[in-house]
């Protein structure tokens, strides 16, 4: 290596250090909505610096292939990022996770082909990192594609179960371990390597297919973590610290989000992954008891009056709101109430929507200012002082049984304590139980009124009534 | 082996930094956090660039180009969609609280 080459390498390494620091600083700025956009730009700058520095690498002798790949990737990336609907963000993230995993598989594969082609020798540690990289990458790739299919409803959203499922998974897992061990310590073998990729791809499919649609927030978070770990593993293969650091940051982020989602759903990760929740329609044990209790209905007009004369209203948006695409109607209603001097807040449960934080994005898109979006821990003490709570298409996350009934499947799940408010208006299509199949005692309470009907239509009516009050 | 150990060092420390930093991200921003961190995991791109550019045969280059394309979608799509989301997060226009 001559002095010039040594200097070039120094520049590249320094650039990678800068990129790593920018990634960390960028993520740090995501701690507040005010600085988040700048943080994302910092991360992108880090990426650009890393890419430009890599192009100085002596190993790179041809640029046309790179140009083709970058152009294709950029075109698809730009179009997808512009066109995707905010409601489809979970699918988008699932696909991006998968592509990251796929890229790791390809890079590791080329490295392995260099080994079998005699271009480089595989010591145990090199072989091990390649095997890890391809394993994590392939599981991320195929698992993410299945998750995408489920979210996009190409594949059934229900949990797919079949006889001997766990046995089959265990056998496949054992087979993969044997292959991986053989490839790590034995002589290089291309055939076995392709078998490992195929097995890992199948494993990714089998791991995600038995998970029900409602558990997808956990799965995407976990795959997010895997995509990071796949990048890290590639970093181990290439001895490249910026890959290791960037990947580790994402891996950590995905694990934190997975934990938060599991806690918010009152489930363990093992239960989500292997419990096949939602495979069979759950029969609510509380169904029979519901018969002898009465619910009190309310008209849109009365509901509007109740809210219009309140001092404070808290809106609890659930999955049903996102399905009905009625975020803008909610915002209109909130505007009218605020014009009357009502204090309006939104209470966001961590699992509202289809991925972590999803409901916040949907409301932000409908021009709801972020200072009105309150997290569960922050809003719960406020309910006692709240005049009216408007629950839209949410059920399990406002079920008081989670606090009071130790025999309920929801018991222990963190909920929004809406029952502590003066009045509760629940907008619901029918009296069907929620995802967990549990009857909701909230609906029968003295201070609860039910507003039945399609969320969008009911909200439109509420907006009309509120306008009429304004003009009167 | 010494190289592997050093890499593990870097990995473990980075995971700890990740936990510290990400724990401070509020729930309201968790979706942009996922898409944005996803874009960062597209750092695999720099490995892909070397594969696509070192011209070690048609198969190797083809693998490299595919890897560059996939990773670029991840990077470009991830950062852009995150930016699109984050610009929607606004305070109340008049700044009242």
């Amino acid at each position: 290596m001559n002095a010039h080459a040594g200097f070039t390498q120094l520049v590249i390494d320094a650039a990678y250090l800068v990129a790593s620091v920018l990634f960390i600083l960028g993520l740090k700025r995501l701690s507040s909505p005010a600085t988040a956009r700048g943080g994302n730009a910092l991360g992108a700058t880090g990426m650009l610096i890393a890419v430009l520095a890599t192009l100085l690498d002596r190993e790179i002798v041809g640029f046309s292939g790179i140009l083709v790949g970058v152009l294709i990737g950029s075109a698809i990336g730009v179009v997808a990022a512009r066109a995707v609907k905010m409601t489809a963000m979970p699918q988008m993230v699932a696909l991006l996770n998968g592509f990251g995993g796929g890229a790791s598989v390809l890079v590791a594969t080329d490295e392995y082909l260099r080994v079998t082609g005699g271009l480089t020798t595989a010591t145990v540690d090199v072989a091990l990192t390649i095997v890890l990289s391809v394993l994590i990458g392939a599981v991320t790739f195929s698992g993410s594609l299945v998750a995408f299919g489920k979210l996009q409803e190409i594949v059934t959203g229900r949990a797919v179960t079949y006889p001997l499922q766990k046995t089959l998974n265990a056998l496949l897992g054992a087979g993969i371990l044997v292959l991986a061990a053989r490839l790590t310590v034995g002589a290089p073998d291309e055939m076995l390597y392709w078998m490992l990729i195929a097995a890992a791809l199948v494993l990714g499919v089998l791991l995600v297919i038995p998970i029900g649609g409602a558990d997808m927030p956990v799965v995407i978070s976990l795959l997010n973590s895997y995509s990071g770990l796949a990048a890290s593993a590639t970093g181990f293969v290439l001895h490249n610290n910026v890959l290791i650091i960037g990947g580790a940051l994402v891996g950590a982020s995905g694990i934190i989000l997975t934990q938060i989602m599991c806690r918010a759903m009152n489930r363990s990760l093992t239960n989500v992954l292997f419990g096949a929740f939602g495979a069979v329609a759950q029969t609510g044990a509380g169904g029979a008891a519901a018969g002898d209790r009465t619910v009190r209905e309310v008209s849109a007009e009365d509901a509007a009056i109740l809210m219009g004369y309140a001092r404070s209203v808290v809106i609890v948006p659930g999955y049903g709101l996102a399905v009905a695409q009625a975020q803008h109607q909610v915002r209109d209603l909130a505007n009218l109430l605020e014009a009357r001097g009502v204090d309006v807040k939104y209470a966001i449960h961590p699992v509202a929507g289809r991925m972590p934080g999803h409901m916040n994005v949907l409301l932000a898109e409908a021009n709801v200012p972020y200072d009105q979006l309150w997290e569960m821990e922050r809003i719960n003490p406020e309910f006692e002082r709240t005049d009216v709570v408007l629950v839209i298409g949410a059920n399990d996350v406002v079920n008081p049984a989670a606090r009071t009934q130790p025999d309920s499947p929801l018991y222990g799940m963190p909920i929004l304590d809406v029952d502590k408010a003066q009045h509760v208006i629940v907008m619901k299509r029918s009296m069907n139980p929620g995802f967990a199949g549990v009857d909701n005692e909230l609906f029968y309470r003295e201070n609860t009124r039910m507003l039945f009907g399609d969320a969008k239509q009911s909200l439109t009516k509420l907006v009309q009534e509120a306008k009429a009050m304004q003009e009167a | 082996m010494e190289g592997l150990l050093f890499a593990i060092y870097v990995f473990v420390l980075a995971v700890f930094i990740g936990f510290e930093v990400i724990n401070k991200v509020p729930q309201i921003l968790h979706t942009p956090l996922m898409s944005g961190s996803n874009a960062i995991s597209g750092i695999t791109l720099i490995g892909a660039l070397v594969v696509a550019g070192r011209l070690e045969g048609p198969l190797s280059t083809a693998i490299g180009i595919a890897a560059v394309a996939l990773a670029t979608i991840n990077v470009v799509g991830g950062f852009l969609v995150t930016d699109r989301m984050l610009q929607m997060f606004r305070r109340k226009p008049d700044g009242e609280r």
Side-chain angles (χ1 to χ4, degrees), chain A residues 30 37 40 59 61-62 81-82 84 97 100 110 114 224 243 250 257 356-358 367 369-372 375, chain B residues 1 11 26-29 31 34 37-39 46 51 53-54 56 60 63 74 79 83-84 87 90-92:
Chain A
L30 281 181
R37 205 176 168 200
N40 186 55
E59 274 196 86
V61 286
R82 292 245 169 97
V84 66
N97 281 338
D110 185 69
R114 298 184 90 213
N224 193 224
L243 263 93
V250 182
L257 293 172
H358 196 193
N367 292 324
Y370 65 75
D371 16 18
Q372 282 182 350
E375 291 174 8
Chain B
M1 268 307 176
F11 176 74
Q27 272 170 23
I28 174 178
L29 291 178
T31 296
M34 280 185 90
S37 65
N38 203 289
I46 67 173
V51 177
R54 67 184 160 199
E56 287 180 345
S60 169
I63 289 176
N74 202 343
F79 281 123
D83 186 65
R84 203 182 128 203
Q87 70 184 9
R90 283 185 222 100
R91 281 178 168 277
K92 273 188 197 173

Side-chain angles (χ1 to χ4, degrees), chain A residues 127-150:
Chain A
L128 176 69
T129 53
I130 291 178
V131 164
L132 272 180
S133 181
V134 73
L135 259 181
I136 305 171
V139 168
T140 310
F141 179 70
S142 62
S144 297
L145 291 189
V146 175
F148 168 78
K150 282 192 177 236

Side-chain angles (χ1 to χ4, degrees), chain A residues 55 63 76 90 96 130 134 146 152 176 199 212 221 321 349 364 393 400 450:
Chain A
L55 295 176
F63 289 89
I76 297 175
L96 291 176
I130 291 178
V134 73
V146 175
Q152 191 71 29
I176 286 176
S221 309
L321 175 78
H349 192 273
M450 305 297 290

Side-chain angles (χ1 to χ4, degrees), chain A residues 65-109:
Chain A
I66 291 176
L67 194 66
V68 171
V70 168
L71 285 180
I72 295 174
S74 302
I76 297 175
V78 169
V79 171
R82 292 245 169 97
V84 66
K85 289 208 174 87
M86 287 302 147
T87 43
M89 202 47 69
Q91 289 96 305
M92 172 91 174
V93 169
L95 267 190
L96 291 176
N97 281 338
F99 291 165
S104 292
V105 172
L106 291 169
V107 173
T109 298

